[in-house]
Amino acid sequence: MSDVEGAISQAYRDEWARLVAGLTRRFGNLDLAEEAAAEAFATAVTRWPVDGLPPNPGAWLTTTATRKGIDRLRRESQRDSKHEEARMVFGHAPTESICAIDDDRLRLLFTCCHPALAMENRVALTLRMIGGLTVPEIAHAFLVPENTMGQRITRAKAKIKAARIPYRMPSKADLPDRVAGVLAVLFLIFNEGYLATSPESSPVRADLTAEAIRLTRLIRQLIPESGEVAGLLAFMLLTEARRTARISEHGELVPLDEQDRAAWEPELIAEGHQLVRERLIAAAAGEAPGRYQILAAIGAVHTSARDFRETDWSQILALYDQLANADPSPIIALNRAIAVAEIDGPAVALTTVDRLEKALNGYHAFHATRADLLRRLGRNQDARAAYDTALDLAGNTAETAHLARRRDRLR
C-alpha cells in the first residue's frame, strides 16, 4: 500500500464517524450526510495521489463533503422549483394520477411537451422548467444567442397562458404525439451531461447522463415498439460506456483516438449493441431507421473497433450520409466531415468544413475541427488562429485544456 493509500485508509477510519455526524447536524439528513461523505472520500482517492496529501486531511474532507452536500441540496431544490413552475405555467388544475406513467419527472416531461407548441419551443421550455438547464446551456444546445432563447421560452409560456392550455397529465393515447419532444429533451440533457457547456460545472455531469438514461429506459417500457426510443437508449449507453476514459487525471479531455479502450464499460457496450442489432433486424423488415437509431449505429461501429486504427470509417461515413438525409443539419455535416478526413484526407474534409462557416461560426466545435484539419495539413499559423477562436467560444474546462495543449504544441 502506498503512503497516499495508507493516509486515505487512516483518514477513513479516523474521520468517517465524525464527518457523518457533523454533516448530519448541518443538513439534518443522515442519508445525505453519508452520501456527501462517501463522495468526498471518492474524490480524495482521485485527487490525493495526483495533488499530494493536503496539510489537514480532516479539514479537506469536511470542506469537500460540505460542498458535495450543498450541491446535492441545490440540485434537489432546483428540481422542485422547476416542477412547481411547470404547474404554475400550465395552470392550477389538479394533477390526475394515470397508470401510463408512474414516474413523477417523466410524467412532467410528457405534460410539458404539449403538441400545441412548436417543437423547438416545447423542447426549450421543458429543458428549462423540468430538465434544470440554464438559458445559456439551452441556447448553446440550439446554437442561438442567449437573448433569443430567453425570448423563445418567454413566448412559449405566454402562449400557454393565452391559449389556456391546461396542466393535464397525458393519457396513454397521448404519448405517441408527445414522445418526439420528450426524446429531444432527453437527448439534449444527456449531451449537456456528456460535455457540459459551463466552466462553472464539472466537465462531465454524470448526474445528467444517468437521469437521461433512467428516463429513456422508462419510456422504452411504456413504448417498447418505438424504434427511436430504442435507438436513443442505445446511443446513450454506447456513449456513456466511454465516459471514464474521456477525462484524464489532469482534467483534460481525451479525444477518441487517444482513449484507453480497456477503460470502456463492456456491460453498457453489450447492451447498446444488442439494441442496435434489434433495430437492424427491424430495418431489414422494411422499417426505416430514424435519427437516434442511426446515431446508435455510428456509436456501435466506434465501440466495435479494438483500437482507433481499426475503425470502419467507410461504414461510419455511409451512416452519416443516411443521417444527413434524415436530419440535414450543419452539425451533422460537421461530424460527417470528420469521417471524410479519415477516408479522403484532411484537405477534402476542410473544403466541406469551410462551407459551414456561416451556419456554425459561433460554435466552438466548428473552429476546433477546422483547427485540427489545418494542423494535419501543416498549416500551423492558420491552425493556431482557429484554436484561439475555439478557446474563446468553448466553456468546458476539460475541452479548453485539450485545445490549449494542441495549440501550444504547434511550431
Side-chain angles (χ1 to χ4, degrees):
M1 179 182 295
S2 68
D3 292 342
V4 173
E5 291 172 336
I8 294 173
S9 178
Q10 185 64 42
Y12 182 87
R13 290 192 295 269
D14 294 345
E15 300 291 338
W16 176 262
R18 182 194 64 80
L19 186 57
V20 170
L23 293 171
T24 302
R25 286 193 299 271
R26 180 184 180 94
F27 298 122
N29 186 315
L30 176 60
D31 290 339
L32 174 62
E34 290 181 338
E35 290 173 1
E39 289 185 19
F41 276 101
T43 303
V45 171
T46 303
R47 294 280 300 279
W48 291 6
V50 177
D51 301 339
L53 289 175
N56 188 332
W60 188 98
L61 288 167
T62 299
T63 300
T64 302
T66 301
R67 288 173 179 169
K68 298 289 186 183
I70 291 172
D71 287 345
R72 185 176 291 270
L73 284 175
R74 186 181 294 119
R75 287 197 300 270
E76 292 301 321
S77 174
Q78 184 184 55
R79 178 181 300 181
D80 292 342
S81 66
K82 296 304 177 185
H83 289 190
E84 181 59 29
E85 184 182 356
R87 293 187 177 93
M88 293 176 66
V89 168
F90 278 86
H92 298 284
T95 60
E96 302 173 13
S97 178
I98 60 173
C99 297
I101 307 175
D102 293 328
D103 184 84
D104 289 340
R105 199 171 196 197
L106 186 60
R107 189 183 302 138
L108 282 169
L109 284 175
F110 272 98
T111 300
C112 291
C113 284
H114 199 287
L117 299 174
M119 177 62 78
E120 284 192 347
N121 291 349
R122 79 179 80 157
V123 170
L125 181 63
T126 307
L127 282 170
R128 181 73 187 102
M129 295 198 306
I130 308 301
L133 269 63
T134 65
V135 172
E137 289 169 345
I138 300 170
H140 182 272
F142 281 87
L143 299 181
V144 299
E146 290 179 25
N147 62 337
T148 300
M149 181 52 63
Q151 292 169 3
R152 185 178 296 177
I153 293 173
T154 300
R155 285 196 299 269
K157 292 180 180 179
K159 180 173 181 178
I160 288 171
K161 292 180 179 179
R164 298 183 180 275
I165 298 173
Y167 177 78
R168 183 181 65 81
M169 297 300 180
S171 66
K172 193 172 182 62
D174 294 327
L175 301 188
D177 291 336
R178 303 190 183 200
V179 70
V182 173
L183 294 183
V185 167
L186 294 176
F187 176 74
L188 293 175
I189 289 175
F190 181 87
N191 282 348
E192 178 61 27
Y194 169 77
L195 195 63
T197 56
S198 173
E200 299 176 358
S201 66
S202 299
V204 175
R205 296 184 58 184
D207 58 324
L208 291 184
T209 58
E211 181 68 354
I213 289 173
R214 183 185 75 84
L215 293 172
T216 306
R217 287 190 187 279
L218 292 178
I219 299 174
R220 179 156 165 75
Q221 294 174 10
L222 289 169
I223 317 175
E225 69 279 5
S226 171
E228 280 294 78
V229 174
L232 180 57
L233 179 57
F235 165 78
M236 289 179 175
L237 294 173
L238 294 172
T239 305
E240 180 72 359
R242 308 197 298 264
R243 175 169 57 86
T244 55
R246 291 182 56 247
I247 306 295
S248 74
E249 60 181 10
H250 304 297
E252 182 180 326
L253 184 71
V254 181
L256 185 62
D257 60 328
E258 297 178 10
Q259 288 178 18
D260 176 11
R261 301 194 174 207
W264 291 358
E265 294 288 342
E267 294 82 5
L268 295 180
I269 292 175
E271 184 180 358
H273 283 185
Q274 178 60 36
L275 288 169
V276 170
R277 283 192 293 270
E278 290 176 7
R279 301 322 307 162
L280 288 174
I281 294 172
E287 180 183 327
R291 176 193 185 197
Y292 301 123
Q293 295 173 71
I294 300 172
L295 285 172
I298 293 171
V301 176
H302 279 302
T303 51
S304 296
R306 289 180 296 180
D307 58 48
F308 187 79
R309 292 169 299 179
E310 291 189 7
T311 304
D312 189 344
W313 288 105
S314 296
Q315 187 175 0
I316 288 178
L317 182 58
L319 287 167
Y320 269 119
D321 288 339
Q322 192 175 3
L323 184 59
N325 290 328
D327 181 17
S329 75
I331 292 181
I332 296 301
L334 180 66
N335 291 332
R336 179 186 178 278
I338 295 172
V340 169
E342 298 299 326
I343 297 174
D344 298 325
V348 177
L350 183 62
T351 301
T352 299
V353 170
D354 283 344
R355 288 198 292 263
L356 302 173
E357 182 175 7
K358 183 177 180 180
L360 298 178
N361 192 45
Y363 183 41
H364 77 280
F366 163 76
H367 296 282
T369 301
R370 190 169 180 275
D372 188 59
L373 295 173
L374 290 166
R375 175 186 62 81
R376 292 168 63 179
L377 289 169
R379 295 169 55 182
N380 289 357
Q381 186 174 353
D382 293 334
R384 178 177 287 275
Y387 277 126
D388 285 339
T389 305
L391 282 164
D392 289 340
L393 295 171
N396 187 287
T397 55
E399 197 165 18
T400 55
H402 165 70
L403 292 172
R405 180 173 66 87
R406 281 280 175 95
R407 179 199 61 189
D408 295 343
R409 288 170 60 184
L410 294 173
R411 295 184 181 275

